[in-house]
Amino acid sequence: MFETRMRTLSSWWLRAMAESFKWQGLPINALFSQAHISLNDLSSQTARYPQASVSTLWKQAQAMLPDIHLGIYVGSNMNVRAIPVVGMAIIQSTQLLSAFRLILRYQKLMGDTHNVSLIDHGAEYELRFNFSDGERDMSLLSYEAPMAFCLKIARTVKGKNWHPSRICLQRKEHLAEINEHFNCPVEYGSKTHSLFFCEQTDAQPFIAGQIKVATQSNVSHVLRILLEEHLTLGECGCKDMAKALNMSEKTLQRRLAKEGTNFSQELANLRQQRSTTLLVETDLSLTEIAFLCGYSEVSAFYHAFNRWHGMSPKIYRQQIKMHE
């Protein structure tokens, strides 16, 4: 007999739910207690809560507000900037695909119940939400709130009038609130929860023009532009950048050598500059700063920072604040 692994959600997601419930005047102390979720523990960054308890919370809260779709309300009122680690990077994105790929890459930070996949269908992309694996009785709001949140992300990146090309819901009953909020064709009673969209790569002509220039001169200048664009995506290796510049890795290194530099030096310079700026000018956590500098492991960021400054990023920040 196979044992089902318990799936959980992060305290960040539960805090957002609690805040939205409070705005609606719901008795959050009683609701969270009945769902066996401690409100006092929500301040912990590492706390996780069973999906089954969260589904119970959704159902009880929605029963108290039958005229409001709480999933849409919660998802559309979440703060994109506050998303763990990736929030700052998302609001700086110019392309929707980049923003969604950031969310998918780090979705486990919001809980291991999250299992969103991005599917390329050629003419359009599909975000498919597969949260219910291992759960027998999962609230539909547990799907629809993240879908509304992804819509919030898209409108943060592309503007408030953006809408999907279509969405699919397992919900059978038609709701005017859903139709109005997503502002696109809705397929009810579907086998999946999916959000379909088309990506307009309007920023590419500028980069393409710069790459054309790079084939003749100043390849290091264009490399810096590309590294800025790709750093937070985790796609900033020499091979990746050479491909973006339409040249081989060996050619890129040779061209950089003629300009008195190399790929590792350019990448390190950018990371050093960005990390010191973020440490001084923001209150972002060291984990967030490491991510924004293109590191997938905080330990790698610590080692690099020690090489640059002879001290840890934590001590560096403390010393800067002492002299302010």
Side-chain angles (χ1 to χ4, degrees):
M1 184 173 181
F2 293 101
E3 181 179 353
T4 301
R5 181 172 64 89
M6 183 176 71
R7 296 179 180 274
T8 60
L9 282 171
S10 73
S11 57
W12 174 80
W13 188 267
L14 269 294
R15 284 198 302 273
M17 289 177 64
E19 191 68 24
S20 292
F21 289 178
K22 187 176 181 180
W23 291 340
Q24 285 294 329
L26 290 172
I28 60 173
N29 288 310
L31 279 170
F32 276 71
S33 177
Q34 290 167 11
H36 305 292
I37 298 174
S38 172
L39 275 174
N40 294 330
D41 293 340
L42 294 186
S43 58
S44 171
Q45 299 294 325
T46 59
R48 292 289 186 272
Y49 302 88
Q51 176 62 60
S53 297
V54 179
S55 289
T56 297
L57 182 62
W58 275 122
K59 291 174 181 177
Q60 292 175 340
Q62 186 65 81
M64 291 183 175
L65 291 173
D67 296 328
I68 295 177
H69 190 297
L70 273 180
I72 289 178
Y73 183 80
V74 172
S76 60
N77 280 288
M78 284 185 166
N79 184 357
V80 175
R81 185 187 294 269
I83 303 174
V85 178
V86 299
M88 286 292 293
I90 287 174
I91 64 174
Q92 294 171 1
S93 297
T94 58
Q95 296 298 318
L96 189 53
L97 268 179
S98 298
F100 282 152
R101 282 171 177 157
L102 285 172
I103 284 291
L104 298 188
R105 185 180 176 206
Y106 289 89
Q107 61 183 302
K108 297 305 179 186
L109 290 170
M110 287 173 268
D112 55 20
T113 187
H114 289 74
N115 183 21
V116 188
S117 54
L118 178 65
I119 304 169
D120 184 353
H121 292 288
E124 61 182 355
Y125 291 91
E126 174 190 359
L127 278 178
R128 183 174 295 177
F129 300 78
N130 306 302
F131 295 175
S132 65
D133 292 351
E135 295 296 336
R136 294 182 178 180
D137 186 26
M138 187 168 177
S139 169
L140 290 176
L141 299 182
S142 291
Y143 293 101
E144 293 164 359
M147 292 180 72
F149 183 45
C150 284
L151 182 68
K152 172 75 173 287
I153 291 171
R155 287 176 174 168
T156 299
V157 174
K158 306 301 290 185
K160 63 180 182 180
N161 294 323
W162 185 91
H163 57 83
S165 54
R166 59 192 173 100
I167 65 171
C168 296
L169 302 174
Q170 290 183 13
R171 176 186 294 276
K172 295 181 179 179
E173 68 272 23
H174 292 224
L175 293 181
E177 193 172 357
I178 290 178
N179 297 340
E180 180 179 354
H181 186 74
F182 285 92
N183 190 25
C184 69
V186 181
E187 178 186 331
Y188 291 94
S190 173
K191 292 182 179 180
T192 67
H193 286 90
S194 300
L195 184 152
F196 293 84
F197 67 97
C198 300
E199 173 69 308
Q200 300 294 326
T201 54
D202 46 272
Q204 293 306 308
F206 168 77
I207 295 295
Q210 294 295 309
I211 292 174
K212 186 175 181 180
V213 173
T215 62
Q216 303 168 6
S217 61
N218 67 356
V219 69
S220 59
H221 172 70
V222 182
L223 175 62
R224 293 181 199 116
I225 296 175
L226 288 173
L227 284 172
E228 285 274 7
E229 290 283 325
H230 290 76
L231 203 56
T232 53
L233 293 176
E235 301 170 352
C236 53
C238 187
K239 185 176 181 180
D240 298 312
M241 295 299 97
K243 183 178 180 180
L245 288 164
N246 296 320
M247 62 179 69
S248 69
E249 188 174 351
K250 183 179 294 186
T251 298
L252 174 58
Q253 292 284 27
R254 185 174 65 251
R255 294 285 303 281
L256 289 171
K258 288 183 179 179
E259 296 177 25
T261 185
N262 59 61
F263 181 82
S264 296
Q265 181 179 330
E266 291 298 325
L267 178 58
N269 288 344
L270 176 59
R271 283 173 161 170
Q272 181 178 1
Q273 180 183 15
R274 178 175 287 190
S275 63
T276 52
T277 298
L278 291 172
L279 282 168
V280 173
E281 297 183 1
T282 76
D283 292 322
L284 295 173
S285 69
L286 297 181
T287 300
E288 288 175 303
I289 292 174
F291 168 74
L292 291 172
C293 292
Y295 293 97
S296 58
E297 298 291 340
V298 179
S299 58
F301 169 55
Y302 270 70
H303 291 318
F305 200 91
N306 266 301
R307 288 198 305 272
W308 300 329
H309 299 281
M311 65 183 75
S312 72
K314 182 178 180 179
I315 294 176
Y316 182 90
R317 173 178 266 174
Q318 290 173 344
Q319 291 189 356
I320 291 295
K321 291 188 178 297
M322 286 176 55
H323 292 88
E324 287 181 350

